[in-house]
Amino acid sequence: MEDYLKAIYELQQETGERVRTKDIAEYLDVTPPTVTSMVEKLAERGLLDREKYKGVELTEEGETVALEVLRHHRLLESYLSEHLDYDWSEVHDEADVLEHHISEEFERRLAEALDDPDVDPHGDPIPGADLAPPEVSDTRALDELEPGEVATVERVRDRDEAELSYLAEAGIEPGVALEVVDVAPFGMVTVVVDGGEQSLPESVARSIRVSGARE
């Protein structure tokens, strides 16, 4: 149930709209009938508002649960990266397993050991201990930029290990400045990072959120 609530929260953040069964199924890599069954259970428990043919959205209680799981997940990712020398491409799957099994005391100690970070290794905001929705900075997807625009990487998608390894090799991570030098009609975005050019498939560029774009 927590995985579903977390997924729906993240999808709501991406679109700002109700979430369709199809999108949840794709996000979690499960079948639509499986999603429908779980959505019914979550709605019965008052964690979701479900409107036929229009999708679902979290209730206030559902959002609180989702934020708690996200806080566990992103603190764990940060701890694995900073204190256990995990590569940023490895921490997502580990945190997915552990996030459901830590106590509130363990969460408090994690945050204390990390000096209460605002973001995880991928730039995703960490909800606070009060479980208020975290502030999200104004960003754009990299594939929306035009040649000549310069921006700073804020967040990268954390769910694809191969993609994260590729971006690390290219030196593209939160805090790095880059310039778009070419957008090919067949879907490649070429950027300059630390003086070197990197060509990214459009799907990868779309997963990178940047701020401060300017020419």
Side-chain angles (χ1 to χ4, degrees):
M1 287 189 177
E2 290 179 342
D3 284 338
Y4 277 80
L5 294 171
K6 183 178 69 170
I8 293 165
Y9 178 86
E10 295 193 297
L11 289 166
Q12 283 184 182
Q13 294 304 299
E14 288 178 11
T15 66
E17 300 174 353
R18 284 178 171 269
V19 181
R20 299 175 301 170
T21 296
K22 173 177 174 289
D23 295 327
I24 301 170
E26 288 178 359
Y27 192 92
L28 293 174
D29 194 23
V30 296
T31 65
T34 300
V35 174
T36 299
S37 175
M38 179 59 77
V39 161
E40 289 174 356
K41 292 176 183 176
L42 293 170
E44 287 171 5
R45 293 182 178 221
L47 300 170
L48 284 183
D49 177 61
R50 184 185 183 202
E51 196 168 337
K52 201 170 183 180
Y53 306 121
K54 292 187 178 180
V56 302
E57 64 181 2
L58 298 175
T59 62
E60 185 175 341
E61 183 181 356
E63 182 176 273
T64 298
V65 176
L67 286 167
E68 182 171 28
V69 180
L70 272 177
R71 176 169 169 79
H72 290 176
H73 182 93
R74 293 174 180 173
L75 285 172
L76 285 162
E77 285 193 334
S78 299
Y79 189 84
L80 290 166
S81 176
E82 291 184 28
H83 293 275
L84 299 182
D85 297 325
Y86 274 73
D87 187 84
W88 76 335
S89 66
E90 302 171 322
V91 296
H92 178 78
D93 287 346
E94 291 281 13
D96 260 352
V97 174
L98 296 168
E99 66 192 21
H100 309 292
H101 306 292
I102 67 172
S103 67
E104 297 311 300
E105 176 61 16
F106 189 84
E107 175 206 305
R108 185 189 68 76
R109 294 193 184 199
L110 265 184
E112 189 176 280
L114 292 163
D115 197 24
D116 286 318
D118 293 322
V119 297
D120 71 10
H122 312 104
D124 290 317
I126 299 175
D130 61 357
L131 301 182
E135 290 187 15
V136 180
S137 58
D138 187 21
T139 62
R140 295 163 65 192
L142 179 58
D143 70 324
E144 296 175 14
L145 272 59
E146 300 291 336
E149 288 192 276
V150 178
T152 300
V153 177
E154 294 289 338
R155 305 169 64 180
V156 297
R157 182 170 53 200
D158 69 351
R159 302 178 73 240
D160 190 316
E161 186 172 334
E163 192 176 285
L164 286 168
S165 295
Y166 175 79
L167 292 176
E169 280 282 321
I172 298 173
E173 58 187 28
V176 168
L178 49 76
E179 178 183 358
V180 176
V181 294
D182 185 53
V183 180
F186 49 83
M188 295 295 285
V189 178
T190 302
V191 300
V192 172
V193 184
D194 289 334
E197 285 194 3
Q198 299 289 341
S199 292
L200 306 171
E202 188 176 32
S203 61
V204 175
R206 191 176 302 121
S207 75
I208 301 168
R209 305 296 300 186
V210 300
S211 66
R214 66 186 188 284
E215 295 197 14

